[in-house]
Amino acid sequence: VLYKESVGTGTPTPITPEMERVKRNQEICSSVLYKENIGKATPTPVTPEMERVKRNQEIISSVLYKENVGKVTPTPITPEMERVKRNQEIISSVLYKENLGRATPTPITPEMERVKRNQEHISSVVYKEGLGKATPTPVTPEMERVKRNQEHISSVLYKEHLAKGTPTPMTPEMERAKRNQENISSVLYSDSFRKQVQGKAAYVLDTPEMRRVRETQKHISTVKYHEDFEKSKGSFTPVVTDPITERVKKNMQDFSDISYRGIQRRVVEMERKRVDQDQENLTG
């Protein structure tokens, strides 16, 4: 605490792409130099006895460490301590980067990628082998409540540290650029859709389960249709009757009477008889 009180305020500096590149080069150089100084070794198999001794040593070290630890008084982390901690991290980062010299970038070869992946796999396997059996515990409502409270507290503390921003007006140029970006995104999305999806059918297996679901959906739709029909049966919608509607209705009724009673057929027969009679009168 006394050390942090004597630290002044620092000036934060942004991390540029050049600084990121130098950092990666330094890591690669350190890894290469470390591997060059390592000589050849003879691998020895890890026996169960060696595993047992290693575990016992870890347990003994943990017990001895805890026995030597005395009682401490916990102190809350105040916003001032958080600010000083962040300033120290920024100052340490700046001083470290100032002492860096020039490095020669080395390309990442396929061999380096292969070794890196193998190391990750080995680390994952060794880590999983050291895990013991765990007892799952159910998530109780109390645990859910505490978790939500922690999230709310974290959100409140985060928002308290935020500074005030300066709103900028949305100019017509910004609106135009935004619309252009949306149009470009839409065009690219449509092109990708046409190339990948359009014109291609999605094949789905017609399994017995899918057929059963389809039949069930049909039955549910039929039941719903009949239910709606029964509810609407007996109800009507009033319509205003105007002269045009009355005229159309009368014409439709006349057409229906002519078709039903056969009046049109009788009229045709009477007309044919009249023509025949006029011909007989002319010839007679």
Side-chain angles (χ1 to χ4, degrees):
V1 175
L2 294 176
Y3 170 73
K4 294 181 179 179
E5 287 179 356
S6 61
V7 176
T9 59
T11 304
T13 58
I15 298 175
T16 61
E18 181 66 19
M19 296 170 68
E20 289 285 341
R21 185 182 65 81
V22 172
K23 183 178 178 182
R24 285 197 299 273
N25 292 337
Q26 285 294 326
E27 291 175 355
I28 294 170
C29 292
S30 300
S31 176
V32 172
L33 293 176
Y34 173 74
K35 292 179 181 178
E36 286 178 354
N37 295 327
I38 294 177
K40 295 182 179 179
T42 304
T44 57
V46 180
T47 61
E49 181 65 20
M50 293 173 66
E51 288 286 342
R52 185 182 63 80
V53 172
K54 183 178 178 182
R55 284 198 297 273
N56 291 339
Q57 287 294 328
E58 292 175 354
I59 295 169
I60 292 169
S61 299
S62 176
V63 172
L64 294 176
Y65 174 75
K66 292 180 181 178
E67 287 180 354
N68 295 329
V69 175
K71 295 182 179 179
V72 297
T73 304
T75 58
I77 299 176
T78 61
E80 180 66 19
M81 293 172 67
E82 288 285 341
R83 184 184 64 80
V84 173
K85 182 179 178 182
R86 284 197 299 273
N87 290 338
Q88 283 295 323
E89 292 175 354
I90 294 169
I91 293 169
S92 300
S93 176
V94 172
L95 293 176
Y96 172 75
K97 292 176 181 177
E98 286 178 353
N99 296 327
L100 291 178
R102 295 183 180 179
T104 303
T106 57
I108 298 176
T109 61
E111 181 66 18
M112 293 173 67
E113 289 287 342
R114 185 182 64 80
V115 172
K116 183 178 178 182
R117 285 196 299 272
N118 291 339
Q119 287 295 327
E120 292 176 355
H121 295 327
I122 293 170
S123 299
S124 176
V125 171
V126 172
Y127 172 74
K128 292 180 181 178
E129 287 179 353
L131 293 178
K133 295 182 179 179
T135 304
T137 57
V139 180
T140 61
E142 181 65 18
M143 294 171 68
E144 289 286 342
R145 185 182 65 79
V146 172
K147 183 178 178 182
R148 284 196 300 272
N149 290 340
Q150 287 293 329
E151 291 175 355
H152 294 328
I153 293 170
S154 299
S155 176
V156 171
L157 293 176
Y158 172 75
K159 292 179 181 178
E160 286 180 353
H161 295 309
L162 290 179
K164 294 182 179 179
T166 304
T168 57
M170 186 71 71
T171 61
E173 181 66 19
M174 295 172 66
E175 288 286 345
R176 184 183 65 79
K178 183 178 178 181
R179 285 196 300 272
N180 290 339
Q181 286 295 326
E182 292 175 354
N183 294 334
I184 293 170
S185 300
S186 177
V187 170
L188 294 176
Y189 174 76
S190 300
D191 290 343
S192 177
F193 174 78
R194 282 194 295 270
K195 292 178 182 178
Q196 298 179 8
V197 180
Q198 192 175 10
K200 297 180 181 179
Y203 297 97
V204 181
L205 296 177
D206 191 9
T207 59
E209 181 66 19
M210 293 182 66
R211 287 196 292 271
R212 184 184 65 79
V213 172
R214 189 163 59 245
E215 290 296 330
T216 305
Q217 288 293 329
K218 288 181 182 178
H219 295 326
I220 293 172
S221 300
T222 304
V223 171
K224 183 66 177 175
Y225 172 77
H226 284 292
E227 183 181 352
D228 295 339
F229 175 76
E230 291 295 333
K231 288 181 180 179
S232 61
K233 188 170 65 174
S235 60
F236 62 92
T237 303
V239 181
V240 178
T241 304
D242 54 354
I244 295 176
T245 305
E246 288 289 340
R247 180 176 62 79
V248 173
K249 183 177 179 182
K250 187 174 182 303
N251 291 337
M252 293 300 294
Q253 187 67 35
D254 294 339
F255 290 149
S256 299
D257 291 342
I258 291 172
S259 299
Y260 177 73
R261 296 177 183 177
I263 295 174
Q264 184 69 22
R265 185 172 61 254
R266 283 187 291 174
V267 170
V268 173
E269 291 177 356
M270 291 174 66
E271 184 67 21
R272 188 173 65 252
K273 289 180 181 179
R274 186 181 64 79
V275 172
D276 293 340
Q277 188 176 4
D278 291 342
Q279 289 180 356
E280 290 177 358
N281 291 334
L282 290 174
T283 56

